[in-house]
């Protein structure tokens, strides 16, 4: 009834199990390798589109990289480039607050990134820009009030 397995039978099962494990590990390795390759290609395309002034296309490619490479390089570079895209003065859809958000995300999520120091500089520049914009707006309001008072006195 219950036959004892031979040593040779045990080895066959061991080899089959090993092949299955290696196959699964190989698939995972290949998938990760392919994702990294896709990320690098998208990053390069994003750089070219950015240089050509296609900010929406560049943003799309960098978002693809960030989603493929979650929390590991080159996602840090993609986040940095998204900040640059939103900060670029020639981008008709520029948004300094969003740029600031991407630079802060880079600093927080990727503290060891080579782009952190540049992101810190951008954060400082964008914060100063925001303060100056607020000061200019207040100054315009004061000018309007002064002009209204002057007109009121002339009447």
């Amino acid at each position: 009834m219950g036959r004892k397995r031979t040593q040779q039978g045990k080895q066959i099962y061991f080899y089959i199990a090993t092949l299955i494990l290696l196959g699964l590990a190989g698939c995972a390795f290949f998938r990760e390798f392919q994702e990294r390759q896709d990320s690098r290609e998208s990053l390069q395309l994003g750089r070219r589109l950015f240089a050509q002034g296609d900010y929406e296309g560049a943003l799309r490619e960098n978002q693809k990289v960030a989603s493929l490479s979650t929390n590991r390089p080159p996602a840090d570079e993609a986040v940095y480039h998204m900040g640059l895209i939103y900060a670029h003065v020639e981008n008709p859809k520029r948004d300094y607050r969003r740029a600031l958000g991407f630079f802060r995300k880079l600093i927080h999520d990727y503290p060891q990134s080579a782009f952190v120091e540049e992101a810190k500089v951008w954060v400082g520049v964008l914060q100063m820009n925001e303060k100056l914009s607020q000061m200019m707006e207040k100054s315009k309001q004061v000018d309007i009030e002064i002009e209204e008072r002057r007109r009121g006195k002339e009447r």
Side-chain angles (χ1 to χ4, degrees):
M1 247 194 225
R3 286 187 350 201
K4 241 185 173 181
R5 289 196 176 120
T6 65
Q7 188 66 21
Q8 189 177 18
K10 289 179 183 179
Q11 287 178 342
I12 289 173
Y13 285 125
F14 175 76
Y15 289 133
I16 290 172
T18 302
L19 285 172
I20 290 171
L21 287 174
L22 287 175
L24 292 174
C27 288
F29 174 77
F30 180 72
R31 186 175 50 248
E32 185 175 326
F33 177 79
Q34 188 62 45
E35 285 175 358
R36 285 186 184 204
Q37 186 66 24
D38 292 346
S39 292
R40 296 204 187 287
E41 288 172 6
S42 288
L43 199 57
Q44 289 175 347
L45 178 57
R47 280 191 220 123
R48 281 196 307 273
L49 293 170
F50 181 73
Q52 295 168 358
D54 182 358
Y55 303 108
E56 287 186 39
L59 186 61
R60 193 172 39 254
E61 291 302 318
N62 281 287
Q63 287 169 333
K64 190 186 305 181
V65 172
S67 68
L68 282 173
S69 306
T70 51
N71 297 328
R72 65 179 196 276
D76 60 332
E77 188 172 352
V79 170
Y80 177 75
H81 284 145
M82 286 188 278
L84 289 180
I85 290 165
Y86 279 113
H88 199 286
V89 72
E90 292 179 11
N91 182 355
K93 294 184 179 179
R94 74 181 160 274
D95 184 337
Y96 296 134
R97 286 195 177 123
R98 287 185 88 175
L100 191 57
F102 281 113
F103 292 130
R104 285 180 173 153
K105 176 178 176 53
L106 174 70
I107 293 165
H108 180 267
D109 292 354
Y110 307 95
Q112 302 301 318
S113 172
F115 297 96
V116 165
E117 289 306 312
E118 290 178 42
K120 287 178 181 178
V121 171
W122 274 105
V123 166
V125 168
L126 291 170
Q127 286 176 335
M128 183 61 70
N129 182 50
E130 181 65 26
K131 286 179 186 177
L132 291 173
S133 294
Q134 289 172 357
M135 288 172 58
M136 285 181 62
E137 194 59 39
K138 286 179 185 177
S139 177
K140 286 180 186 177
Q141 288 292 71
V142 169
D143 287 347
I144 290 170
E145 290 173 10
I146 291 172
E147 184 63 26
E148 287 174 354
R149 286 184 195 157
R150 188 183 61 78
R151 286 185 186 160
K153 287 183 181 179
E154 288 178 357
R155 289 184 187 167

